[in-house]
């Protein structure tokens, strides 16, 4: 049975583009070799880390969304653990798809100023 997973891994920030491309191809090969289905691969770019990891204050984040089995996740994490270019990784099983909440509409300009004026009059 195929389950839905997300994996985010952080690579060293000074990695050359060719090395990064080779690393992502290796990850894609692992997913394909374990009969997985890669849905999304995103490079989130170099970001500041919350704390220093292996003497690096920054890291390049890569996001994966795929369908696969537990053996696929085990093999992918094993390969990520063995690669020295990977600083950290995290895999999460997706129980159900979530939809981003709709942002509440801001009150119209006239409404906000009327409420503000009413509170100002009461406080005086």
């Amino acid at each position: 049975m195929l389950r839905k997973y997300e994996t985010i891994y952080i690579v060293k920030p000074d990695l050359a583009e060719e090395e990064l491309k080779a690393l992502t191809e290796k990850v894609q090969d692992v997913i394909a070799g374990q009969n997985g289905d890669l849905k999304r691969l995103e490079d989130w770019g170099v970001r500041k880390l919350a704390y220093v990891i292996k003497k690096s204050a920054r890291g390049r984040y890569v996001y994966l969304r795929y369908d696969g089995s537990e053996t696929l996740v085990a093999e992918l994490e094993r390969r990520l653990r063995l690669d020295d270019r990977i600083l950290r990784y995290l895999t999460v099983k997706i129980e159900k798809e979530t939809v981003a909440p709709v942002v509440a509409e801001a009150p119209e300009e006239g409404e906000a100023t009327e409420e503000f004026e009413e509170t100002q009059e009461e406080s005086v």
Side-chain angles (χ1 to χ4, degrees), residues 23-37:
L23 183 62
T24 56
E25 286 176 4
K26 186 170 108 175
V27 167
Q28 289 174 341
D29 291 343
V30 170
I31 293 172
Q34 295 288 326
N35 298 323
D37 184 21

Side-chain angles (χ1 to χ4, degrees), residues 1-69:
M1 179 175 154
L2 295 179
R3 295 193 172 111
K4 300 174 183 178
Y5 293 98
E6 288 180 335
T7 299
I8 297 175
Y9 60 93
I10 307 170
V11 298
K12 293 182 178 181
D14 56 353
L15 210 61
E17 287 298 321
E18 299 84 29
E19 287 182 87
L20 182 65
K21 190 171 183 176
L23 183 62
T24 56
E25 286 176 4
K26 186 170 108 175
V27 167
Q28 289 174 341
D29 291 343
V30 170
I31 293 172
Q34 295 288 326
N35 298 323
D37 184 21
L38 183 65
K39 299 291 185 180
R40 177 179 286 168
L41 175 91
E42 295 178 8
D43 182 1
W44 288 352
V46 178
R47 298 177 180 211
K48 185 175 185 277
L49 301 174
Y51 54 90
V52 176
I53 302 173
K54 296 182 183 177
K55 300 181 182 178
S56 292
R58 301 181 72 76
R60 177 174 285 229
Y61 285 71
V62 179
Y63 170 81
L64 296 170
R65 163 66 184 88
Y66 55 94
D67 297 341
S69 64

Side-chain angles (χ1 to χ4, degrees), residues 44-92:
W44 288 352
V46 178
R47 298 177 180 211
K48 185 175 185 277
L49 301 174
Y51 54 90
V52 176
I53 302 173
K54 296 182 183 177
K55 300 181 182 178
S56 292
R58 301 181 72 76
R60 177 174 285 229
Y61 285 71
V62 179
Y63 170 81
L64 296 170
R65 163 66 184 88
Y66 55 94
D67 297 341
S69 64
E70 295 172 2
T71 56
L72 165 62
V73 174
E75 179 63 21
L76 180 63
E77 288 186 345
R78 184 185 76 80
R79 300 255 183 119
L80 293 175
R81 189 178 323 112
L82 293 174
D83 198 330
D84 291 335
R85 300 171 291 187
I86 307 286
L87 299 176
R88 287 281 192 274
Y89 62 88
L90 177 69
T91 301
V92 178

